[in-house]
Amino acid sequence: MSFYQDAVTGLNSQPKWLSPKYFYDARGSHYFDLICKLDEYYPYRTEMALLPTVAEELDQWLPKQVVIVEFGAGSLHKIRPLLSTSQAIRGFIPIDISAEHLHNAGATLQQEFAQLEVKPAVGDFTQTLQLPHLELEKDNQRIPKLGFFPGSTLGNFTPDEAREFLRNARQSLGPDSMFLLGVDTQQDIATIERAYNDAKGVTASFNKNILVRMNRELSTNFKLDQFSHRAIFNRQHSRIEMHLVSDIEQQVTLGDKQIRFARGESIHTENSYKYTPATLAALVESAGWQLQHTWQAPSAAFSEVLLH
Ligand code: AVI
């Protein structure tokens, strides 16, 4: 589906919604980088502090050689500690929908880690994928794969989407595969709400950027100062929700249609699910994986789990 079709569907629904995947144009990705540097945004720094320990201990759970496959190759900040410490990782397959980003990222890493075989794969990582064949595997010697999905991006999927993603990943990775997954396990609601309502308003700008993007790409006429950012924790679903709330009654043009907003009506733009060890175990098991080991941050705000 195109951005336009998704916007037509979402904005004509009751309640209105837009997919968070549309946050990430160049400007949105820049705002997300700024979010990661905020004091209030605990997930990024907590995971970054945990990864060196994971990297130190990981090899004891791995076979002698593995190829690590990163789903949605982002900034490459998270893969580095693993590549520089693990002796078992011989190859790296970053998967991303954006070919340009992927090839730049792949080339940078190849320069830094000359012994590593880097083979980027362009594709939608939520679907099953045919992974590229590595030189390392040339004598038909198959090397087991280790999936890597850091950053608690799994939390932006509904539980059904998360299960589907984990199932598809298991199929793409093939027999004897393992999976290293970063998950937000924060339980303190005030801390969570603060992380998505930062004092500088960076998260608000990130959220509103979806309207900026629609104005530019879909010729809508959203007035940014007539919508407010709202992030609230939904206890029933254990997720923080982001919304854009219309401050007044108004109409916005989308294609040849008018979208009506009542005063106080919202567009639901993102969910970020927070897991407990028990809800996470149930989810991964329902997707065919077993928990092998958990590294938990001292604050318990974030976990890195190894699945097999
Ligand atoms: C990318 N994702 C894991 C972030 C999150 O925390 O759900 C996106 C984000 N939304 C608001 N702040 C950050």
Side-chain angles (χ1 to χ4, degrees):
M1 280 250 262
S2 68
F3 186 19
Y4 176 73
Q5 284 168 320
D6 280 344
V8 168
T9 306
L11 295 179
N12 284 300
S13 300
Q14 215 40 264
K16 294 179 170 55
W17 60 275
L18 290 167
S19 166
K21 72 180 177 196
Y22 295 114
F23 284 144
Y24 301 95
D25 62 354
R27 200 158 165 260
S29 300
H30 173 65
Y31 279 128
F32 183 62
D33 288 344
L34 296 180
I35 287 173
C36 290
K37 294 189 182 122
L38 294 169
D39 286 345
E40 295 99 325
Y41 192 69
Y42 64 85
Y44 180 80
R45 67 181 140 76
T46 312
E47 187 178 35
M48 284 306 281
L50 185 60
L51 280 170
T53 308
V54 176
E56 290 276 319
E57 297 174 6
L58 186 62
D59 281 4
Q60 61 185 286
W61 306 97
L62 301 182
K64 267 211 186 76
Q65 301 189 53
V66 291
V67 170
I68 190 159
V69 180
E70 184 168 358
F71 290 81
S75 58
L76 302 178
H77 292 161
K78 311 246 170 89
I79 194 82
R80 276 201 176 85
L82 304 182
L83 297 180
S84 46
T85 309
S86 165
Q87 301 292 311
I89 301 172
R90 303 297 168 86
F92 174 48
I93 303 179
I95 308 174
D96 203 278
I97 197 96
S98 150
E100 192 194 336
H101 174 72
L102 192 63
H103 291 292
N104 291 341
T108 310
L109 263 198
Q110 186 66 85
Q111 273 183 347
E112 244 174 90
F113 297 91
Q115 303 306 315
L116 184 78
E117 185 177 347
V118 181
K119 196 132 203 189
V122 180
D124 175 357
F125 68 77
T126 62
Q127 307 298 312
T128 44
L129 291 163
Q130 180 81 45
L131 297 180
H133 203 71
L134 274 80
E135 279 293 306
L136 282 166
E137 300 177 299
K138 63 175 178 293
D139 303 320
N140 274 340
Q141 179 217 3
R142 200 185 159 277
I143 302 182
K145 307 294 183 294
L146 168 68
F148 184 44
F149 196 45
S152 200
T153 304
L154 191 81
N156 297 133
F157 297 156
T158 64
D160 283 346
E161 289 166 347
R163 190 172 305 110
E164 177 83 2
F165 163 72
L166 290 169
R167 240 190 234 135
N168 288 344
R170 193 170 169 82
Q171 207 182 322
S172 304
L173 294 169
D176 307 322
S177 55
M178 302 180 89
F179 202 97
L180 187 62
L181 180 65
V183 185
D184 187 339
T185 45
Q186 179 64 260
Q187 297 305 312
D188 183 63
I189 293 173
T191 305
I192 298 171
E193 288 193 331
R194 221 175 301 124
Y196 293 80
N197 286 292
D198 65 278
K200 289 187 186 139
V202 181
T203 311
S205 301
F206 171 72
N207 196 7
K208 283 193 182 187
N209 182 52
I210 204 162
L211 303 183
V212 176
R213 190 171 172 190
M214 281 200 287
N215 283 351
R216 191 179 60 241
E217 294 182 25
L218 309 181
S219 302
T220 50
N221 57 347
F222 282 100
K223 295 201 182 73
L224 299 194
D225 55 355
Q226 291 176 354
F227 285 85
S228 301
H229 163 76
R230 193 203 288 155
I232 37 163
F233 193 76
N234 179 326
R235 285 169 196 261
Q236 191 197 343
H237 293 289
S238 191
R239 67 189 190 202
I240 181 104
E241 298 180 357
M242 291 214 305
H243 295 262
L244 288 164
V245 180
S246 176
D247 298 330
I248 54 166
E249 189 184 325
Q250 59 181 311
Q251 293 192 18
V252 173
T253 308
L254 174 63
D256 56 1
K257 296 220 175 61
Q258 294 295 309
I259 309 291
R260 289 169 173 278
F261 285 88
R263 182 166 173 226
E265 187 176 356
S266 90
I267 310 173
H268 185 175
T269 50
E270 188 187 59
N271 291 316
S272 195
Y273 285 80
K274 309 303 170 191
Y275 288 94
T276 64
T279 56
L280 182 62
L283 175 73
V284 302
E285 281 167 24
S286 71
W289 294 96
Q290 295 295 317
L291 268 179
Q292 176 137 48
H293 188 71
T294 300
W295 289 268
Q296 197 180 47
S299 61
F302 208 94
S303 294
E304 214 69 29
V305 294
L306 184 66
L307 316 177
H308 70 124

